[in-house]
Amino acid sequence: MRLVIARCSVDYAGRLTAHLPSAPRLILVKADGSVSIHADDRAYKPLNWMSPPCTLKEGTGDEEGVWTVVNKAGEKLIITMEEILHDSSHELGVDPGLIKDGVEAHLQELLADRIETLGDGYTLIRREYMTAIGPVDILCRDAEGRTVAVEIKRRGEIDGVEQLTRYLELLNRDPHLAPVRGVFAAQEIKPQARVLATDRGIACQVLDYDALRGIEDDKLRLF
């Protein structure tokens, strides 16, 4: 990553035009080729940017101090440098990514180990049951021996219900599994998602992450 702090003006020419007058700014040039211009506010959001794939050309001669960034659509981000205050490059390497406590994979693992959370008599068939359009998080059977497909999300929204609907349509074509009903499980389920799930005959299950982990609620209880 290259970090440049400079007094500069910025012009964007493409489907729209935009101009940033001269001011001190931070310019980030990342290994993926992206270029973004930041002010000392707005948290992470840049003032202007060019997403990859794009090319950066630093001007020479009469064009010295002018950076031109062009994307595949021919749009241009022109940065006119007046004074460079800092210019450094750093090799960050491959980022391992953000690891969150309670991610969907962990919720899936915990629920599979405690499948009775869905109801008495539930038994696990398998996690990550593969279909032609992707893996179903959990496939299990209820107390009556009926097949149940479970889709797990941290936050249950409409797109998760749509995803489970597609899995159910496919699974119900398999005579060895049909009829298959669905359970949409999440730590939080949005009202619109609950309405859509109910309309499609899909049950909703709110997951208590601490309870799945065996952690007792420390709030006082009357009984």
Side-chain angles (χ1 to χ4, degrees):
M1 177 184 290
R2 185 178 178 186
L3 308 176
V4 178
I5 299 175
R7 178 173 292 278
C8 63
S9 61
V10 183
D11 291 278
Y12 180 84
R15 289 167 292 180
L16 300 172
T17 59
H19 174 71
L20 293 172
S22 176
R25 296 190 176 93
L26 168 65
I27 303 166
L28 299 182
V29 182
K30 294 187 177 181
D32 63 3
S34 63
V35 178
S36 57
I37 296 97
H38 298 259
D40 200 10
D41 61 4
R42 301 168 182 258
Y44 62 88
K45 188 175 181 180
L47 296 166
N48 215 326
W49 68 94
M50 190 70 81
S51 300
C54 58
T55 57
L56 167 62
K57 180 182 178 181
E58 297 184 42
T60 58
D62 293 340
E63 295 292 319
E64 186 175 2
V66 178
W67 290 14
T68 304
V69 188
V70 184
N71 67 12
K72 63 180 181 180
E75 296 170 317
K76 294 182 179 181
L77 190 65
I78 302 170
I79 307 169
T80 303
M81 304 290 189
E82 298 172 14
E83 180 184 9
I84 294 180
L85 305 172
H86 174 86
D87 189 347
S88 64
S89 297
H90 308 270
E91 182 59 53
L92 302 185
V94 178
D95 191 89
L98 179 65
I99 300 174
K100 296 181 180 179
D101 187 32
V103 293
E104 292 167 14
H106 195 202
L107 286 170
Q108 180 194 121
E109 180 182 353
L110 290 170
L111 185 58
D113 288 341
R114 296 165 178 78
I115 198 67
E116 67 279 0
T117 301
L118 298 176
D120 293 336
Y122 272 69
T123 56
L124 178 68
I125 296 176
R126 68 166 298 166
R127 292 170 51 198
E128 298 287 333
Y129 184 88
M130 186 57 63
T131 73
I133 57 173
V136 176
D137 288 335
I138 289 179
L139 199 68
C140 58
R141 296 193 188 280
D142 63 17
E144 285 73 41
R146 295 171 297 188
T147 309
V148 181
V150 185
E151 180 64 27
I152 299 172
K153 300 292 184 187
R154 281 175 57 83
R155 181 178 292 105
E157 300 184 1
I158 284 177
D159 57 351
V161 178
E162 295 285 5
Q163 182 180 359
L164 179 54
T165 299
R166 293 191 293 271
Y167 287 142
L168 290 172
E169 289 176 352
L170 194 63
L171 291 169
N172 273 301
R173 298 175 190 171
D174 186 338
H176 299 292
L177 297 175
V180 184
R181 63 183 185 87
V183 173
F184 188 51
Q187 289 179 276
E188 173 193 359
I189 299 177
K190 296 293 186 180
Q192 299 92 333
R194 187 179 291 275
V195 169
L196 181 61
T198 300
D199 182 67
R200 295 183 177 179
I202 294 171
C204 292
Q205 177 81 35
V206 176
L207 300 176
D208 185 325
Y209 182 53
D210 287 340
L212 286 172
R213 294 165 66 198
I215 299 175
E216 289 292 335
D217 190 346
D218 61 2
K219 296 183 179 65
L220 294 175
R221 298 182 181 181
L222 294 177
F223 52 85

